[in-house]
Amino acid sequence: MQLDRLVHFHKAVGDVTRIRIIALLQSGPLHGQALAGKLGVTPPTITHHITKLREADLIYERRDKNTIYFYLNEKSLTQQAQAILNVGKSLPAAADGKHEEAQRKASVESSFFNKDGTLKHLPAQRKKKLVVLERLIKGLEPRRKYTEKEINEYIRKFHDDFATIRREFIMNHYMYRENGIYELNPPEMWGKS
C-alpha cells in the first residue's frame, strides 16, 4: 500500500465524528438523516464527514428510490488498518529514518547548489539552511585555526556573500571565533535540523 494512501486513511479516521459514523455503520447501512439524528449533528456535517470517509474508500453508498444509504466498506477498512503494521516490513531502509534523511538532504542540496558545487543562495527555511551549511563546512579541517581572510576565501569558492555565510557558521555553532581566529566546533555542537 502506498504511504500517501495510508496517511490519507489515518487522516480520515482521525476525527471523533467519523469514528462514530464507522461504529454506527458496523450494525448496517444508514441514511444521512438517521446518522445526523443518532449523532446529534446537522445533515451538512454528516455530508462533510461522509465525503471524507468515501474518499478514503471506507464507505460506499446505494440509492433506494430517493434515499441514499451508506455502507461500511469493511474489507477496505481492515486492509488499511492492517497496512500500517506492514510498513516496516516493506521499507527496511527507512525504518530507522536514515534513508529518508539522506534523501531529504540530497534534495535540498540539488535545489540550492549548482552542478559545479557553487551555492545558488542560502535557503530561508532553517532546516534547509542547516543542510547547506553542513555541506559547506565539510571542506574545513577540524582543530585547524583559520584567519578571517582564510575563511572568507574558502567561502568565496562557493558564494560571493562570504560575510553572511561566515556569520551563519558562527550563529549555528559550526565554528567559533575568538580574536579574529576561527575554528570548527565538534559536530555534536552543530546546528540541528
Side-chain angles (χ1 to χ4, degrees):
M1 175 174 284
Q2 296 174 348
L3 282 178
D4 56 343
R5 185 172 174 218
L6 186 59
V7 170
H8 187 68
F9 161 75
H10 284 279
K11 284 182 180 178
V13 296
D15 182 274
V16 174
T17 303
R18 291 182 211 141
I19 291 174
R20 288 180 179 154
I21 291 171
I22 289 170
L24 287 171
L25 293 178
Q26 282 181 319
S27 303
L30 291 169
H31 57 78
Q33 290 286 43
L35 285 168
K38 289 178 183 276
L39 295 173
V41 297
T42 63
T45 300
I46 291 297
T47 302
H48 167 75
H49 291 297
I50 288 293
T51 301
K52 297 291 184 187
L53 292 170
R54 190 184 316 111
E55 288 171 356
D57 194 29
L58 298 176
I59 62 168
Y60 61 94
E61 56 191 53
R62 291 214 171 109
R63 182 178 289 275
D64 182 16
K65 297 182 183 167
N66 291 334
T67 307
I68 297 173
Y69 286 90
F70 301 103
Y71 294 77
L72 184 62
N73 187 344
E74 291 184 37
K75 181 178 178 185
S76 178
L77 177 64
T78 303
Q79 282 178 332
Q80 292 187 67
Q82 182 66 32
I84 196 162
L85 299 175
N86 299 325
V87 169
K89 296 173 188 168
S90 64
L91 298 171
D96 60 359
K98 289 182 181 178
H99 180 68
E100 288 175 355
E101 178 66 13
Q103 284 183 323
R104 183 183 72 83
K105 284 184 175 185
S107 173
V108 170
E109 289 180 5
S110 68
S111 296
F112 290 95
F113 284 92
N114 295 309
K115 290 184 180 184
D116 64 359
T118 57
L119 180 63
K120 295 176 186 176
H121 60 87
L122 268 178
Q125 188 181 45
R126 179 165 162 63
K127 282 184 174 186
K128 292 177 180 178
K129 186 185 296 183
L130 293 178
V131 170
V132 167
L133 292 173
E134 193 167 313
R135 176 170 167 180
L136 292 174
I137 206 79
K138 286 189 176 178
L140 297 171
E141 299 171 29
R143 294 181 294 281
R144 177 177 166 194
K145 297 186 184 316
Y146 293 91
T147 65
E148 190 167 294
K149 182 180 177 185
E150 290 174 316
I151 290 295
N152 291 347
E153 288 171 2
Y154 171 78
I155 295 170
R156 194 174 282 143
K157 291 188 289 187
F158 301 99
H159 198 271
D160 289 334
D161 191 0
F162 56 84
T164 298
I165 294 173
R166 188 183 67 228
R167 229 180 351 266
E168 291 287 345
F169 283 166
I170 301 298
M171 290 182 346
N172 291 292
H173 307 288
Y174 289 97
M175 302 189 88
Y176 72 94
R177 172 184 55 213
E178 189 176 334
N179 299 324
I181 301 297
Y182 294 76
E183 190 173 346
L184 282 177
N185 281 321
E188 297 79 30
M189 293 178 65
W190 294 359
K192 300 296 178 205
S193 54

